[in-house]
Amino acid sequence: MKIIILGAGQVGGTLAEHLAHEDNDITVVDVDSVRLRDLSTRLDLRTVQGVCSYPITLKEAGAEDADMLIAVTNSDEVNMMACQVAHTLFSTPTKIARVRATQYLTSKGLFSQDAIPIDVLISPEQVVTNHIRRLIEYPGALQVLDFANGLAQLVAVKAYYGGPLVGQELAFLRRHMPNVDTRVAAIYRRNRPIMPRGNTVIEADDEVFFIAARKDIRTVMGELRRVDRGFRRVMIGGGGNIGERLAETLEQDYQVKILEQNLERCTQLSENLKRTVVLHGSATSKRLLLEENIEECDIFCALTNDDEVNVMSSMLAKRLGAKKVLTLINNPAYVDLVQGGEIDIAISPQQATIGGLLTHVRRGDIVNVHSLRRGAAEAIEAIAHGDSRSSRVVGRTVGEVKLPEGVSIGAIVRGRDVMIAHRDITIQTDDHVILFVVDKRRLKEVERLFQVGLSFF
């Protein structure tokens, strides 16, 4: 595909890296020549320096024959105007834009072909908020991903000493839980992937990805690790867009406090939120944390725009007695450095956002893409179409599908039924097939599996 990416920041740069490695024709546009030079020296792509919404810039970038335009600059207005220009002057088929401001997102009818022609809206704040909400709902999980509108979930947990399955072969899982159907999709041991087999033994500190129906997730988690008691008290450091949205989604079910340093913002938060306690002060203030009984806090979420403040406040909260700490890290290179010590979970907004973007770039009927292990792997939800003559998967059992190396089928969702992918299950048309891709070099082969042959038409 010929794709134009507007904005060479963290999201644009990370997306370009993903797509350039998959043999797409990529052009990146930005006003910053330094960022563009850095990308062009590392990746096989074109760069254009200029204002992203100007017609002359888009023309130079090749908008006249581009398949897709992805606008992810730091300005909502530039992103929206670039999509308008691409539609009006160049008839670009697919236009994706990152829009952050709630005022735009909540205005009905604003984004349509007759108004501002954006085909796909990406809201990083909402993506990250949903991500954190799921982690709070499942204490002990490192990542929780929804498939088929939440009917199936893929969960990553770290196996701990003393867990019932640690030291056991995976085949023991089915015997130990005969009434729960689940599948271990992948295991990461010392940051290296292991494709699970029946005789694979789970070791302490393994990062285990398993898939199951939503109703069975808690049961399986209890087998892989000590069951954490449910969270009740949540403290949020930072009352920005993400902090406010998270408090808004949690305050009906949890006791929520927000620490915000800006007094004017505190006033806004107290007016917008109904049950959340809003506190004026710094999340790095030891005195304030102690006064607010941080030792009784179940999870502390550091969600400011400053990585250093987030890391320092998280470490302070953990040392003062917070049970768990979750830290937002804007620089994705730091995520692996901080997670696993005093910081239990580190989240990269860029990686959380990338999955939503990749969903619309993949070929075949791919309806969900989740980036895993900071981009090292992907979980994909694809819909099977056609019949046994036109499709490489329909009419075949899971065992008969010729999967590339490093790819496994985790589950099949048919209607509202979640079926774990055992070898004898036959894939039918319109089934949602959930795949785990450890080796991303195989993505093109996975896409081809779900593309329908000409005989279907």
Side-chain angles (χ1 to χ4, degrees):
M1 297 178 74
K2 185 172 183 179
I3 302 170
I4 299 173
I5 298 174
L6 306 181
Q10 293 285 3
V11 172
T14 306
L15 181 64
E17 198 163 345
H18 276 267
L19 299 179
H21 290 315
E22 298 170 20
D23 300 326
N24 293 292
D25 182 359
I26 306 295
T27 301
V28 179
V29 183
D30 201 287
V31 292
D32 190 329
S33 61
V34 176
R35 285 179 176 175
L36 294 175
R37 194 181 310 118
D38 175 61
L39 281 176
S40 61
T41 54
R42 292 188 294 111
L43 304 170
D44 181 19
L45 46 73
R46 282 184 67 230
T47 60
V48 173
Q49 185 180 0
V51 178
C52 293
S53 57
Y54 285 3
I56 191 169
T57 306
L58 292 176
K59 184 174 183 178
E60 187 181 349
E64 291 173 313
D65 60 347
D67 299 302
M68 181 179 293
L69 180 134
I70 304 174
V72 287
T73 75
N74 289 326
S75 167
D76 288 351
E77 290 74 19
V78 169
N79 293 339
M80 292 188 290
M81 181 52 70
C83 290
Q84 181 72 69
V85 172
H87 173 77
T88 305
L89 297 184
F90 305 112
S91 302
T92 306
T94 304
K95 299 161 292 296
I96 301 173
R98 176 171 67 172
V99 178
R100 286 173 160 159
T102 308
Q103 293 299 322
Y104 289 131
L105 296 170
T106 55
S107 300
K108 290 185 177 178
L110 183 60
F111 300 105
S112 67
Q113 295 303 307
D114 298 326
I116 301 176
I118 297 175
D119 301 296
V120 182
L121 277 169
I122 300 291
S123 170
E125 283 82 1
Q126 194 57 53
V127 170
V128 172
T129 300
N130 294 341
H131 185 56
I132 296 172
R133 169 76 197 227
R134 287 194 295 266
L135 291 172
I136 291 174
E137 287 178 351
Y138 294 104
L142 297 174
Q143 200 165 6
V144 182
L145 306 172
D146 283 338
F147 293 96
N149 296 317
L151 291 173
Q153 290 186 315
L154 180 73
V155 178
V157 297
K158 182 170 279 191
Y160 281 89
Y161 287 103
L165 291 179
V166 173
Q168 301 281 358
E169 293 183 350
L170 287 180
F172 178 75
L173 185 63
R174 184 180 291 186
R175 297 197 300 272
H176 190 64
M177 295 188 298
N179 299 320
V180 176
D181 208 4
T182 185
R183 182 183 180 90
V184 173
I187 296 172
Y188 279 82
R189 182 172 298 160
R190 292 180 283 279
N191 290 322
R192 295 176 65 92
I194 297 173
M195 289 303 290
R197 304 279 185 265
N199 60 355
T200 302
V201 176
I202 296 176
E203 297 182 5
D205 292 331
D206 280 355
E207 195 171 317
V208 182
F209 287 83
F210 69 89
I211 193 164
R214 186 188 189 101
K215 61 184 176 62
D216 295 327
I217 291 294
R218 294 185 193 278
T219 304
V220 182
M221 284 181 67
E223 296 302 315
L224 292 168
R225 52 170 293 120
R226 295 186 298 270
V227 179
D228 294 334
R229 65 184 179 85
F231 294 149
R232 295 302 309 158
R233 299 177 181 87
V234 180
M235 189 177 290
I236 299 170
N241 288 334
I242 296 176
E244 181 181 7
R245 290 188 188 197
L246 182 63
E248 196 173 15
T249 63
L250 295 178
E251 63 181 359
Q252 294 300 320
D253 303 312
Y254 300 85
Q255 297 174 25
V256 183
K257 294 179 180 179
I258 285 187
L259 310 180
E260 171 55 46
Q261 198 160 17
N262 183 293
L263 184 57
E264 186 180 345
R265 180 61 177 162
C266 284
T267 304
Q268 293 174 352
L269 290 169
S270 62
E271 292 171 353
N272 296 342
L273 299 169
K274 296 179 175 64
R275 302 178 63 180
T276 299
V277 176
V278 180
L279 301 162
H280 178 228
S282 171
T284 58
S285 168
K286 181 178 180 180
R287 177 189 57 79
L288 180 58
L289 291 175
L290 288 172
E291 284 178 359
E292 296 305 322
N293 304 314
I294 188 66
E295 71 278 1
E296 296 178 4
C297 174
D298 293 315
I299 183 164
F300 177 87
C301 304
L303 305 178
T304 76
N305 290 323
D306 189 315
D307 285 354
E308 185 176 326
V309 170
N310 288 343
V311 171
M312 297 309 294
S313 62
S314 296
M315 293 176 69
L316 181 61
K318 192 63 178 284
R319 290 184 182 182
L320 294 177
K323 311 297 185 300
K324 290 261 181 181
V325 293
L326 181 151
T327 309
L328 195 69
I329 302 293
N330 289 291
N331 188 336
Y334 295 164
V335 174
D336 285 328
L337 295 177
V338 300
Q339 180 167 294
E342 293 190 0
I343 293 173
D344 298 293
I345 302 172
I347 294 178
S348 164
Q350 291 79 19
Q351 288 297 340
T353 307
I354 289 298
L357 293 168
L358 291 176
T359 300
H360 304 284
V361 177
R362 299 278 177 251
R363 295 184 183 275
D365 196 352
I366 307 294
V367 293
N368 239 326
V369 176
H370 290 290
S371 184
L372 308 171
R373 295 281 308 173
R374 273 70 71 191
E378 283 187 10
I380 294 174
E381 177 184 346
I383 302 179
H385 293 296
D387 53 31
S388 57
R389 290 175 298 132
S390 61
S391 169
R392 297 178 179 86
V393 294
V394 173
R396 292 166 175 77
T397 65
V398 170
E400 291 171 341
V401 176
K402 295 179 180 178
L403 293 170
E405 190 176 347
V407 178
S408 62
I409 297 176
I412 295 166
V413 181
R414 184 175 298 157
R416 299 193 61 82
D417 295 330
V418 179
M419 301 175 288
I420 300 305
H422 302 300
R423 290 182 60 83
D424 57 348
I425 291 179
T426 301
I427 298 173
Q428 299 179 8
T429 190
D430 294 332
D431 280 355
H432 288 238
V433 183
I434 301 166
L435 303 103
F436 197 96
V437 184
V438 170
D439 186 352
K440 289 181 61 178
R441 292 173 299 180
R442 305 291 189 180
L443 281 168
K444 290 295 178 191
E445 297 171 58
V446 175
E447 290 174 4
R448 282 196 292 271
L449 272 178
F450 288 87
Q451 289 175 341
V452 178
L454 290 175
S455 62
F456 180 57
F457 300 99

